[in-house]
Amino acid sequence: MNKSVAVLLFAGLLTQPLTAAAPPYSSEAPIAYMKDLSSGAVLFNKGGQTRMPPASMAKMMTAHVAFRLIQRGELKLDTMFTVRPETWKQWHGPQAGSTMFLSAGEQVSVENLLHGIVTLSGNDACVVLAEGIAGTEQGFVAQMNEEAKRLGLKNSHFGTSNGWPDEGVTYVTAEDLASLAQATIEETPDLYKRFYAARSFTWGKTMGGADISQGNRNPILGKIAGADGLKTGHTQEAGYGFTGSAEQDGRRLVMVVAGLTSFNGRIGESVRFMDWGFKAWKAQPLFKKGAVVETAEVQLGSATTVPLVAPHNMAVTLPRTASSNVKVKVVYTGPIKAPIAKGQQIAQLIVQTPDTPPQVMPLVAGEDVAEAGMFGRIWNGMKSLFG
């Protein structure tokens, strides 16, 4: 069977949710979702595609957009933005929810605003950053929605930079929040590590002149080994929610819970859920980063084949007590037409086990393959003809 036919046979599998037959778990949250990023397997899905208000979990997108601008050199961490008096008036005091305690007319660096957003969940920090980047908050929100489209978040839309209730204009799903978290972790890893794992941040002064220090509300920091993100959220409409991530022994999980009825309930469920994800499942290594998994045929290229390599360490996720009998298959639509760039995703690895549905992982080109000139096409044709 050639690999083109294999793609047709497995096409149905590639479009199905990668929801593994999970060990038993009963979540107290109305919405709960967990994904293993090392394999792409969804370990738990309770209402993962249900639209919901994100509350402050929307700030993950605000930070993500800023991280990408910084990574591309279009925004600098030491750039200073001024707190407009109108913005301060709207976003200070008890009626403004979580705050960084900014002052009117104050100049604040992008770096400190990001700490105010990620660690303190400051609604004021979000709007000041948004206005500084795009001129207006709504201009920045347009960038948030463009990024959501780029990431394929089909059931998410943003109406504010901070997730403040807006009569349903802003909505997400747990599945989309997990995808957003994954994008931040994988696309901007240095900035993710720099900001999300901070335990506290100090900014602003009390009426008496004392510094104001606030702790990170992340309920799994310090309670789950390897926990390093991401964001809590709470409004009366949304209840208590959390999108979190932790990494243990090279295995990273992302979880989302939403709709919980209490602060302490969010802590207990988040810790219990993430603990289950690590203890009830195991990772069986498959290929190390850079390993050649297979070769693919190339059409009209300077070479007739290209190596398919693992873009990162690959493992299959299995229930802790499951059989380790694993079958793997490489699929691609081929031959693949040149030119091909090194690192370009051109194939998929499908992993099948007796206990779980297929898990699908990307394979990338191990080297560049240029488009062949006339002589090269003739030479490659002769080689193919004569073996």
Side-chain angles (χ1 to χ4, degrees), residues 7 37 74 84 108 112 238 243 275 296 319 328 385:
V7 171
L37 301 192
E74 299 174 26
R84 297 170 59 248
V108 192
N112 286 327
T243 300
D275 190 55
V328 298
L385 181 63

Side-chain angles (χ1 to χ4, degrees), residues 48-52 152-157 171-173 175-176:
Q49 291 74 41
T50 301
R51 288 184 178 182
M52 62 182 185
L153 309 186
K154 298 180 180 179
N155 286 300
S156 294
H157 183 267
Y171 58 84
V172 298
T173 65
E175 183 179 58
D176 281 357

Side-chain angles (χ1 to χ4, degrees), residues 216-221 223 232 242 266-268 270-271:
N216 193 326
R217 297 179 180 88
N218 184 327
I220 63 173
L221 280 180
K223 296 181 176 67
T232 57
F242 174 59
R266 178 174 62 192
I267 294 174
S270 297
V271 172

